[in-house]
Amino acid sequence: MPTRKFFIAAAAGVPLLAASPAPTPGKTSAPRTPAPKSKSSALAREFAARMRRFDPALSDKQLDTIAAGIDENLKAGSRINPEGRVLKNWDEPATTFEVRE
């Protein structure tokens, strides 16, 4: 995965994917792309379209719902981190925990 934002978007779609109906055995369909009329971002729509690898029976409406959920989670992340500060692997939490006896 190229960026942390892409990973967050991927993680955001997992609960929505779990809520989608299971594919019908023996039924296969050609991969479809989501409708461009969607209000979701291009990244969210692209990631939602990749969900068809796991469930080819996903409808365009379900993909729009997944893309909307991904966008909402990205917006929540920007509310939590409005300055867009990127943490490095060596950054430590502000609070340290100790156990005293």
Side-chain angles (χ1 to χ4, degrees):
M1 294 189 187
T3 64
R4 287 184 183 182
K5 286 183 182 180
F6 187 80
F7 173 77
I8 291 170
V14 171
L16 296 172
L17 182 63
S20 67
T24 307
K27 180 182 174 186
T28 59
S29 61
R32 296 168 290 190
T33 57
K37 299 176 188 175
S38 176
K39 296 178 184 178
S40 303
S41 68
L43 176 66
R45 286 192 313 268
E46 179 184 334
F47 183 72
R50 290 180 181 213
M51 296 292 179
R52 284 214 167 109
R53 279 194 262 164
F54 304 104
D55 187 1
L58 286 173
S59 69
D60 290 337
K61 185 177 179 181
Q62 290 171 324
L63 289 181
D64 287 340
T65 303
I66 292 171
I70 291 170
D71 277 339
E72 286 299 317
N73 284 333
L74 288 174
K75 287 177 189 174
S78 66
R79 286 190 298 265
I80 292 171
N81 186 12
E83 294 88 27
R85 181 168 180 249
V86 179
L87 295 176
K88 306 292 184 208
N89 284 337
W90 54 83
D91 287 340
E92 295 184 16
T95 307
T96 56
F97 298 95
E98 291 182 21
V99 177
R100 294 182 184 182
E101 294 183 34

